[in-house]
Structures are given as structure tokens and as C-alpha cells.
Tab-separated table of all heavy atoms in Angstrom:
chain	number	residue	atom	x	y	z
M	1	HIS	N	-62.135	32.770	-29.019
M	1	HIS	CA	-62.422	31.859	-27.911
M	1	HIS	C	-62.305	30.411	-28.389
M	1	HIS	O	-61.677	29.570	-27.717
M	1	HIS	CB	-63.829	32.124	-27.370
M	1	HIS	CG	-64.358	31.025	-26.505
M	1	HIS	ND1	-63.855	30.750	-25.256
M	1	HIS	CD2	-65.356	30.115	-26.722
M	1	HIS	CE1	-64.514	29.725	-24.726
M	1	HIS	NE2	-65.424	29.324	-25.603
M	2	VAL	N	-62.892	30.096	-29.527
M	2	VAL	CA	-62.843	28.729	-30.051
M	2	VAL	C	-61.413	28.361	-30.455
M	2	VAL	O	-60.973	27.218	-30.265
M	2	VAL	CB	-63.829	28.571	-31.226
M	2	VAL	CG1	-63.746	27.163	-31.805
M	2	VAL	CG2	-65.260	28.858	-30.772
M	3	VAL	N	-60.660	29.328	-30.997
M	3	VAL	CA	-59.241	29.077	-31.285
M	3	VAL	C	-58.516	28.672	-30.004
M	3	VAL	O	-57.746	27.696	-29.981
M	3	VAL	CB	-58.582	30.332	-31.900
M	3	VAL	CG1	-57.061	30.169	-31.939
M	3	VAL	CG2	-59.115	30.587	-33.303
M	4	ALA	N	-58.763	29.392	-28.933
M	4	ALA	CA	-58.111	29.087	-27.660
M	4	ALA	C	-58.567	27.751	-27.092
M	4	ALA	O	-57.812	27.087	-26.371
M	4	ALA	CB	-58.395	30.202	-26.648
M	5	MET	N	-59.802	27.352	-27.409
M	5	MET	CA	-60.280	26.048	-26.960
M	5	MET	C	-59.474	24.906	-27.578
M	5	MET	O	-59.223	23.890	-26.911
M	5	MET	CB	-61.768	25.875	-27.316
M	5	MET	CG	-62.730	26.679	-26.468
M	5	MET	SD	-64.442	26.525	-27.068
M	5	MET	CE	-64.757	24.778	-26.783
M	6	PHE	N	-59.086	25.066	-28.838
M	6	PHE	CA	-58.539	23.922	-29.555
M	6	PHE	C	-57.072	24.051	-29.959
M	6	PHE	O	-56.421	23.028	-30.186
M	6	PHE	CB	-59.387	23.653	-30.797
M	6	PHE	CG	-60.814	23.292	-30.461
M	6	PHE	CD1	-61.846	24.182	-30.708
M	6	PHE	CD2	-61.106	22.083	-29.863
M	6	PHE	CE1	-63.150	23.856	-30.393
M	6	PHE	CE2	-62.404	21.746	-29.543
M	6	PHE	CZ	-63.436	22.623	-29.805
M	7	ALA	N	-56.529	25.258	-30.078
M	7	ALA	CA	-55.133	25.407	-30.489
M	7	ALA	C	-54.151	24.704	-29.543
M	7	ALA	O	-53.182	24.086	-30.010
M	7	ALA	CB	-54.783	26.889	-30.624
M	8	PRO	N	-54.371	24.756	-28.216
M	8	PRO	CA	-53.422	24.055	-27.332
M	8	PRO	C	-53.421	22.543	-27.511
M	8	PRO	O	-52.516	21.871	-27.001
M	8	PRO	CB	-53.923	24.434	-25.921
M	8	PRO	CG	-54.715	25.679	-26.100
M	8	PRO	CD	-55.357	25.535	-27.449
M	9	SER	N	-54.403	22.001	-28.236
M	9	SER	CA	-54.506	20.548	-28.375
M	9	SER	C	-53.305	19.931	-29.067
M	9	SER	O	-53.044	18.734	-28.919
M	9	SER	CB	-55.784	20.192	-29.140
M	9	SER	OG	-56.934	20.610	-28.431
M	10	PHE	N	-52.542	20.728	-29.840
M	10	PHE	CA	-51.337	20.208	-30.456
M	10	PHE	C	-50.312	19.776	-29.399
M	10	PHE	O	-49.462	18.919	-29.662
M	10	PHE	CB	-50.711	21.257	-31.378
M	10	PHE	CG	-51.486	21.497	-32.644
M	10	PHE	CD1	-52.249	22.653	-32.795
M	10	PHE	CD2	-51.467	20.569	-33.674
M	10	PHE	CE1	-52.966	22.882	-33.963
M	10	PHE	CE2	-52.177	20.793	-34.846
M	10	PHE	CZ	-52.938	21.951	-34.991
M	11	LEU	N	-50.402	20.378	-28.219
M	11	LEU	CA	-49.421	20.110	-27.171
M	11	LEU	C	-49.996	19.437	-25.936
M	11	LEU	O	-49.255	18.783	-25.194
M	11	LEU	CB	-48.748	21.425	-26.734
M	11	LEU	CG	-47.977	22.188	-27.822
M	11	LEU	CD1	-47.479	23.519	-27.260
M	11	LEU	CD2	-46.809	21.365	-28.330
M	12	THR	N	-51.298	19.579	-25.687
M	12	THR	CA	-51.878	19.118	-24.427
M	12	THR	C	-51.624	17.636	-24.182
M	12	THR	O	-51.279	17.223	-23.064
M	12	THR	CB	-53.390	19.399	-24.398
M	12	THR	OG1	-53.625	20.776	-24.679
M	12	THR	CG2	-53.965	19.061	-23.036
M	13	GLY	N	-51.789	16.810	-25.218
M	13	GLY	CA	-51.578	15.375	-25.043
M	13	GLY	C	-50.151	15.047	-24.639
M	13	GLY	O	-49.921	14.174	-23.789
M	14	PHE	N	-49.173	15.722	-25.243
M	14	PHE	CA	-47.774	15.481	-24.887
M	14	PHE	C	-47.479	15.952	-23.463
M	14	PHE	O	-46.696	15.331	-22.751
M	14	PHE	CB	-46.856	16.194	-25.890
M	14	PHE	CG	-46.952	15.655	-27.284
M	14	PHE	CD1	-47.704	16.302	-28.250
M	14	PHE	CD2	-46.304	14.477	-27.637
M	14	PHE	CE1	-47.805	15.809	-29.533
M	14	PHE	CE2	-46.392	13.962	-28.924
M	14	PHE	CZ	-47.155	14.629	-29.883
M	15	VAL	N	-48.126	17.057	-23.057
M	15	VAL	CA	-47.960	17.536	-21.687
M	15	VAL	C	-48.538	16.528	-20.704
M	15	VAL	O	-47.950	16.260	-19.642
M	15	VAL	CB	-48.620	18.918	-21.509
M	15	VAL	CG1	-48.537	19.364	-20.055
M	15	VAL	CG2	-47.950	19.945	-22.414
M	16	ILE	N	-49.667	15.933	-21.046
M	16	ILE	CA	-50.271	14.921	-20.174
M	16	ILE	C	-49.331	13.726	-20.029
M	16	ILE	O	-49.161	13.178	-18.929
M	16	ILE	CB	-51.637	14.474	-20.731
M	16	ILE	CG1	-52.658	15.610	-20.592
M	16	ILE	CG2	-52.146	13.224	-19.996
M	16	ILE	CD1	-53.986	15.332	-21.265
M	17	LYS	N	-48.708	13.315	-21.132
M	17	LYS	CA	-47.759	12.198	-21.053
M	17	LYS	C	-46.588	12.522	-20.148
M	17	LYS	O	-46.031	11.641	-19.493
M	17	LYS	CB	-47.243	11.851	-22.458
M	17	LYS	CG	-48.206	11.009	-23.297
M	17	LYS	CD	-47.643	10.737	-24.679
M	17	LYS	CE	-46.382	9.901	-24.650
M	17	LYS	NZ	-46.627	8.505	-24.190
M	18	ARG	N	-46.241	13.799	-20.064
M	18	ARG	CA	-45.055	14.185	-19.287
M	18	ARG	C	-45.364	14.421	-17.808
M	18	ARG	O	-44.638	13.933	-16.935
M	18	ARG	CB	-44.430	15.442	-19.900
M	18	ARG	CG	-43.139	15.860	-19.217
M	18	ARG	CD	-42.449	16.980	-19.954
M	18	ARG	NE	-41.202	17.365	-19.332
M	18	ARG	CZ	-40.042	16.775	-19.509
M	18	ARG	NH1	-39.959	15.737	-20.332
M	18	ARG	NH2	-38.947	17.189	-18.913
M	19	ILE	N	-46.438	15.164	-17.515
M	19	ILE	CA	-46.697	15.534	-16.112
M	19	ILE	C	-47.973	14.904	-15.552
M	19	ILE	O	-48.243	15.046	-14.359
M	19	ILE	CB	-46.776	17.070	-15.943
M	19	ILE	CG1	-48.000	17.646	-16.676
M	19	ILE	CG2	-45.500	17.727	-16.443
M	19	ILE	CD1	-48.198	19.129	-16.415
M	20	GLY	N	-48.744	14.229	-16.390
M	20	GLY	CA	-49.937	13.553	-15.895
M	20	GLY	C	-51.209	14.354	-16.112
M	20	GLY	O	-51.192	15.592	-16.149
M	21	ALA	N	-52.310	13.640	-16.220
M	21	ALA	CA	-53.592	14.280	-16.501
M	21	ALA	C	-54.075	15.135	-15.338
M	21	ALA	O	-54.673	16.197	-15.541
M	21	ALA	CB	-54.640	13.221	-16.844
M	22	THR	N	-53.821	14.702	-14.114
M	22	THR	CA	-54.322	15.441	-12.950
M	22	THR	C	-53.730	16.846	-12.886
M	22	THR	O	-54.442	17.827	-12.625
M	22	THR	CB	-53.998	14.680	-11.652
M	22	THR	OG1	-54.555	13.367	-11.728
M	22	THR	CG2	-54.590	15.396	-10.446
M	23	ALA	N	-52.425	16.966	-13.140
M	23	ALA	CA	-51.777	18.278	-13.118
M	23	ALA	C	-52.307	19.174	-14.229
M	23	ALA	O	-52.477	20.386	-14.041
M	23	ALA	CB	-50.265	18.119	-13.243
M	24	VAL	N	-52.608	18.593	-15.384
M	24	VAL	CA	-53.146	19.383	-16.489
M	24	VAL	C	-54.556	19.876	-16.158
M	24	VAL	O	-54.906	21.032	-16.448
M	24	VAL	CB	-53.134	18.556	-17.791
M	24	VAL	CG1	-53.890	19.270	-18.905
M	24	VAL	CG2	-51.696	18.293	-18.233
M	25	VAL	N	-55.363	19.020	-15.546
M	25	VAL	CA	-56.706	19.440	-15.137
M	25	VAL	C	-56.621	20.577	-14.116
M	25	VAL	O	-57.379	21.556	-14.186
M	25	VAL	CB	-57.491	18.255	-14.554
M	25	VAL	CG1	-58.813	18.732	-13.938
M	25	VAL	CG2	-57.787	17.227	-15.637
M	26	ALA	N	-55.698	20.472	-13.166
M	26	ALA	CA	-55.529	21.531	-12.163
M	26	ALA	C	-55.162	22.861	-12.831
M	26	ALA	O	-55.685	23.920	-12.454
M	26	ALA	CB	-54.448	21.128	-11.162
M	27	SER	N	-54.301	22.810	-13.830
M	27	SER	CA	-53.949	24.025	-14.570
M	27	SER	C	-55.169	24.607	-15.272
M	27	SER	O	-55.352	25.830	-15.325
M	27	SER	CB	-52.859	23.713	-15.606
M	27	SER	OG	-51.696	23.204	-14.983
M	28	GLY	N	-56.017	23.729	-15.791
M	28	GLY	CA	-57.228	24.188	-16.442
M	28	GLY	C	-58.161	24.920	-15.490
M	28	GLY	O	-58.733	25.959	-15.835
M	29	LEU	N	-58.304	24.396	-14.276
M	29	LEU	CA	-59.167	25.051	-13.286
M	29	LEU	C	-58.630	26.437	-12.921
M	29	LEU	O	-59.398	27.389	-12.747
M	29	LEU	CB	-59.277	24.182	-12.028
M	29	LEU	CG	-60.002	22.847	-12.189
M	29	LEU	CD1	-59.963	22.066	-10.881
M	29	LEU	CD2	-61.448	23.055	-12.645
M	30	ILE	N	-57.313	26.551	-12.805
M	30	ILE	CA	-56.711	27.858	-12.493
M	30	ILE	C	-57.008	28.860	-13.602
M	30	ILE	O	-57.374	30.016	-13.346
M	30	ILE	CB	-55.187	27.702	-12.285
M	30	ILE	CG1	-54.905	26.900	-11.014
M	30	ILE	CG2	-54.515	29.071	-12.211
M	30	ILE	CD1	-53.445	26.519	-10.845
M	31	LEU	N	-56.894	28.415	-14.850
M	31	LEU	CA	-57.161	29.314	-15.976
M	31	LEU	C	-58.635	29.705	-16.043
M	31	LEU	O	-58.969	30.849	-16.387
M	31	LEU	CB	-56.731	28.650	-17.283
M	31	LEU	CG	-55.214	28.521	-17.492
M	31	LEU	CD1	-54.915	27.680	-18.720
M	31	LEU	CD2	-54.572	29.904	-17.619
């Protein structure tokens, strides 16, 4: 569980730069 909490962090920031923070938050709520 903790691995899953932090492993995506290598990519999350770059995804935010590309599609925006709001879209990333929405994806988080779906998950």
C-alpha cells in the first residue's frame, strides 16, 4: 500500500505539468 502511495510520484509531477492538477485529482478520486 505504501509503495503504491509513493511509487507513482516519479511521474505524477510530469503528468500534472502536461494535463493539469485538476485532471490528476479527478483521476485520484476515481481510483
Side-chain angles (χ1 to χ4, degrees):
H1 164 70
V2 178
V3 169
M5 286 175 65
F6 298 108
S9 297
F10 288 105
L11 299 175
T12 307
F14 295 100
V15 176
I16 290 173
K17 281 179 64 67
R18 184 172 181 83
I19 66 174
T22 303
V24 171
V25 172
S27 301
L29 293 177
I30 292 171
L31 289 172

